Amino acid sequence: MVHAVNDVSFELRAGEFLGVVGESGSGKSVTMMSLLKLIPMPPGHIDAGVADFGEHDLLSIDAATLRSVRGGQIGFIFQDPMTSLNPVLTIGKQLTEPVMLHTGADRRAAKARVIELLDLVGIPDAEQRFKNYPHELSGGMRQRVMIAMALACEPKVIIADEPTTALDVTIQAQIIDLVKDLREKLNTAVIWITHDLGVVAGLADRVIVMYGGRIVEQSPVAELYARPAHPYTQGLLNSVPRIDQKGGSLTSIPGQPPSLLAEPVGCSFAPRCAYAFDRCLTETPVLSPVDLAGEHLSACFWDTAEGKERS
Amino acid sequence: MTETINAPLGAPNGESASSPILEVTNLKKYFPIVRGLVRRKVGDVRAVDGVSFQIQKGETLGLVGESGCGKSTTGRVILQLDRATEGSVKYEGEELVGKNAGQMRVLRPNMQMVFQDPHASLNPRMTVASIIEEPLIEHRFGNRAERLAWIEELLGLVGLSPTHANRYPHEFSGGQRQRIGIARAIALNPKFVVCDEPIAALDVSIQAQVVNLLERLQDELDLTYLFISHDLSMVRHLADRVAVMYLGRMVELAPVEALYESPQHPYTQALHSAVPVPNPIVEFGRERIILKGDIPSPSNPPSGCSFHTRCPVATPECAERVPEWREINPGHWVACHLA
């Protein structure tokens, strides 16, 4: 059995931009997908947990209510727009249907709304593009269509799973620019899942770092990059080169990401951690505050700044 | 044959430092577009459209650009894995374009490639030992015992253990698989290695491991790299000189510091500003150049300077005349009317 996500707790505030950083297999996508039961079940199953969204617990509500939440109040942007758009339907058709379904608008009103949305996400000649099939659009344009789709019903929350990973860097810059712009206009809360520490640095209000299916650190963005508390976050920041400075040799994190097959015992980062001591192998550290305000949390027994065990 | 095993480890790194190991002149690679029953040729995809550069012995030349700019095709054509349409590739003064498979085979041990996807480039039915042994058998390297001894040494060199030799690729993680691919590439003591996006498929924490390995091997084995990548931050870390490609042409080539501190081509400037920096304070104060639109199709590239359709400072001249490739500072080449 793969223990993809273990005891993850977090909150998203209204209008907040939350960055979720982790490597492949860290559980970042599965966490967010499980919130809306978007993981295939079986084989997957959610053992325990609560996901409060307004007055609902998303993990226990009935299928019909869940459907109205999905796409209606929580929008999704997936990584690969080519596989998440239907290749045999025009983008107009794919966009009008959810608008009609969730808002009850008639076809004509829905079409007007969709063209307005395509315009909003910066697609030129929206009227013409309405009739195009996904293959007729470039990767960047397809991702814009996905964003339009996520915004269609004015959701309170948008979950974006690696939305720019498949894009070239100049197109990524266009999409990030668009997302910043839209946030100012619409004030939607965003959960942005990524493996790129650079992307969330300029976007997020708060950042969650995941490793081995757990949250290892959680902090306001400036604090996280200035004073990373968890050895994994520190290692990650030291192992990426920066375009704005020439550094010496890169400090890599030794070893391999953990296998999630075994029931996790102790800290999953311990085998790769330079600070690990016997307690790390037997006891699982819980997220606890490392600053006075209680906003910056880390799941580690060792205080790397003080060089001693945390009390 | 056994002497060659240890030869590269102590190879001299002296007076030859400034002679070019590779000279590429006006290299072109067009892929035909065919249509209809008789497969009539209706056009060309100009994947590589006249690039010229040299690689000095012992250096790392970074080749950067976005997808479809022709950087991987350039690497493949240099190694004659794809036939050049036009132009010349000289390896240590010897012309490679036009050589047949047999003639190339003699030269192959000198030039090797590390591929992007370590999942697709290793045969899943072969053990690690037989994957690395294959080129050794092909090029008649020693007897079986000598080969196995060398494979063990290679595995150690790339940071794996000799006990891994009899396992299959699926038993390894992505980073370890890339190490196997690197061991195979250096098995025949090459002098020149084309690294085609060797870290693009790896996790962030593993990328640094593989890059550090490539750097260490370069020192120990006196290797010359052509490092093809879309990751500008990593290229800054790794390369001595950097070439930027756009739509099959080279737009800028300069020593690494010059290219990152004072990029001259508007495309290089835009590319540079588009890469996010993992530091919120720096990110906050950064001016971003956002390019309009998408990369045009290489089957129908724009007239004149192919970047003029997206260039923030283009003049009418840019649409008419192809900018010439000129040296504006010693070693700093750029193709732009305005630079």
Side-chain angles (χ1 to χ4, degrees), chain A residues 23-24 138 140-141 168-174 176-177 180 195-199 201-202 221-222 225-226 232 236-237 239-257 272, chain B residues 66-67 173 175-176 203-206 208-209 211-212 215 230 232-234 236-239 256-257 260-261 267 270-272 274-280 282-283 286 288-295 310:
Chain A
E23 299 178 89
S24 45
S138 67
M141 284 297 159
D168 272 316
V169 56
T170 60
I171 309 298
Q172 167 172 293
Q174 291 175 353
I176 288 176
D177 198 46
K180 274 187 183 162
H195 67 276
D196 189 334
L197 285 159
V199 171
V221 67
Y225 288 82
Y232 174 65
L236 215 51
L237 282 167
S239 68
V240 290
R242 280 174 55 166
I243 194 163
D244 61 335
Q245 51 186 234
K246 180 94 182 169
S249 73
L250 299 175
T251 322
S252 63
I253 306 176
Q256 308 295 331
R272 303 175 73 187
Chain B
E66 297 179 278
S67 45
S173 66
Q176 288 173 318
D203 264 322
V204 183
S205 75
I206 306 298
Q209 290 181 6
V211 165
N212 286 343
E215 286 185 305
H230 67 272
L232 274 90
S233 313
M234 198 54 98
R236 172 165 202 174
H237 170 77
L238 196 76
V256 64
E257 280 313 297
Y260 284 85
E261 291 303 329
Y267 178 63
L271 209 53
H272 194 283
V275 178
V277 174
N279 182 324
V282 176
E283 274 295 296
R286 262 175 108 208
R288 227 166 228 142
I289 306 167
I290 305 285
L291 294 180
K292 297 166 293 191
D294 289 305
I295 305 171
R310 300 174 77 200

Side-chain angles (χ1 to χ4, degrees), chain B residues 107-124:
Chain B
L107 291 166
R108 289 258 178 246
N110 294 320
M111 46 189 97
Q112 291 290 320
M113 189 152 181
V114 177
F115 296 93
Q116 170 172 353
D117 186 350
H119 301 253
S121 59
L122 302 176
N123 188 335

Side-chain angles (χ1 to χ4, degrees), chain A residues 218 229 286-300 303 310-311:
Chain A
Q218 175 179 326
V286 290
L287 271 183
S288 30
V290 295
D291 66 343
L292 292 174
E295 285 280 297
H296 186 179
L297 312 172
S298 166
C300 181
D303 186 337
R310 267 183 217 289
S311 48

Side-chain angles (χ1 to χ4, degrees), chain A residues 112-216:
Chain A
R113 167 79 180 139
V114 167
I115 288 174
E116 185 191 319
L117 281 166
L118 292 176
D119 231 24
L120 181 71
V121 297
I123 291 182
D125 301 327
E127 199 98 28
Q128 287 301 311
R129 290 300 186 187
F130 190 83
K131 296 175 211 148
N132 280 161
Y133 288 90
H135 76 266
E136 296 174 276
L137 304 178
S138 67
M141 284 297 159
R142 285 198 285 262
Q143 201 55 288
R144 285 173 194 264
V145 171
M146 288 294 294
I147 293 172
M149 201 179 263
L151 291 173
C153 305
E154 295 178 2
K156 296 198 186 88
V157 178
I158 289 181
I159 301 179
D161 188 2
E162 303 255 12
T164 58
T165 304
L167 305 177
D168 272 316
V169 56
T170 60
I171 309 298
Q172 167 172 293
Q174 291 175 353
I175 298 290
I176 288 176
D177 198 46
L178 169 70
V179 169
K180 274 187 183 162
D181 191 43
L182 289 175
R183 261 198 87 209
E184 269 166 36
K185 283 187 193 149
L186 308 172
N187 199 32
T188 313
V190 181
I191 297 178
W192 185 285
I193 304 168
T194 181
H195 67 276
D196 189 334
L197 285 159
V199 171
V200 287
L203 277 173
D205 301 318
R206 267 191 321 139
V207 180
I208 282 176
V209 182
M210 290 192 71
Y211 185 83
R214 291 179 196 277
I215 294 177
V216 295

